[in-house]
Structure formats: structure tokens, C-alpha cells
Amino acid sequence: MADPVQLQQVSLNLVMNAVEAMNHSGEMRVLRLRTEPGPARTVVVRVVDSGPHVDPEVVSKMFQPFFTTKSSGMGMGLAICKTIVEAHGGQLTASAKNPYGMEFKITLPLYQHN
């Protein structure tokens, strides 16, 4: 069981971040959302964008509260997303894609009806 409003907010935040990142890219803009079965009775949701290259040091800090690369950002969006996903028994990770773009992966346990 999950709170659909909270998980919708996580998805919306990741999509809006991706769209904003791609606005700074001169390349063709591509945003992919994909769901797939994960390991050990989980579901995986992937949000992949074609935004600019992100430095690995930035990726390692992006879930920290108050860390931001945006001039008008508060640095709370991704930290809150991670907290929501973890409260649902899941995991939120990020990785830079080569040569550009980001992939965010949400892994959530499947509901098991007894």
C-alpha cells in the first residue's frame, strides 16, 4: 500500500527537474519514463533525461537537504523525494548518463496481499 499523492509528487518533481535541466541543453530534448519489474518483488520507475552532463560530485550531493545548483532553488525537492520513497520502503538513486543527461531510479516493494 502506498500514498498515491506522495508518490505522484515524487514523480512530478523528477519530471519537472528533468524538463528544467533540458531547457539548458542545446541538444534534442528527450524525457523517458519507464516502469518495469525489479528484483525481489519490487517495481522500478526510471526517469531519464537528455539534459547536460552532471558532474559526479554534484550527483553525490544532490539528495542532501539545502544542496542546489539552481539560482532560485531551495535544495529541498530531491531530499523530500528521497524521504518519501524511503518511507514507502523503497530507494531513490541518481546517476549521470554518458555523455549527457541523468537517470533517476525509484525502486519500491510490491504490495503483497495475504
Side-chain angles (χ1 to χ4, degrees):
M1 300 291 287
D3 184 325
V5 174
Q6 287 184 346
L7 293 179
Q8 181 181 32
Q9 285 301 121
V10 170
S11 300
L12 182 61
N13 186 276
L14 295 177
V15 167
M16 294 302 293
N17 283 352
V19 168
E20 187 174 340
M22 290 187 298
N23 281 339
H24 303 293
S25 175
E27 303 294 320
M28 186 171 94
R29 296 174 183 131
V30 177
L31 174 63
R32 286 181 290 191
L33 285 88
R34 181 174 158 182
T35 58
E36 59 195 41
R41 299 206 38 85
T42 62
V43 63
V44 175
V45 179
R46 297 177 191 272
V47 179
V48 182
D49 69 60
S50 63
H53 175 74
V54 179
D55 186 274
E57 188 168 325
V58 170
V59 175
S60 72
K61 295 178 182 177
M62 63 179 34
F63 293 113
Q64 294 176 7
F66 306 111
F67 176 81
T68 185
T69 59
K70 300 176 185 178
S71 60
S72 62
M74 290 178 42
M76 292 303 296
L78 289 176
I80 291 169
C81 288
K82 187 171 181 70
T83 299
I84 290 171
V85 171
E86 289 175 351
H88 285 81
Q91 186 177 28
L92 174 59
T93 59
S95 58
K97 303 298 283 178
N98 266 337
Y100 51 82
M102 286 290 300
E103 177 179 32
F104 288 87
K105 183 170 83 169
I106 303 166
T107 305
L108 292 167
L110 290 173
Y111 174 70
Q112 296 180 2
H113 180 68
N114 294 329

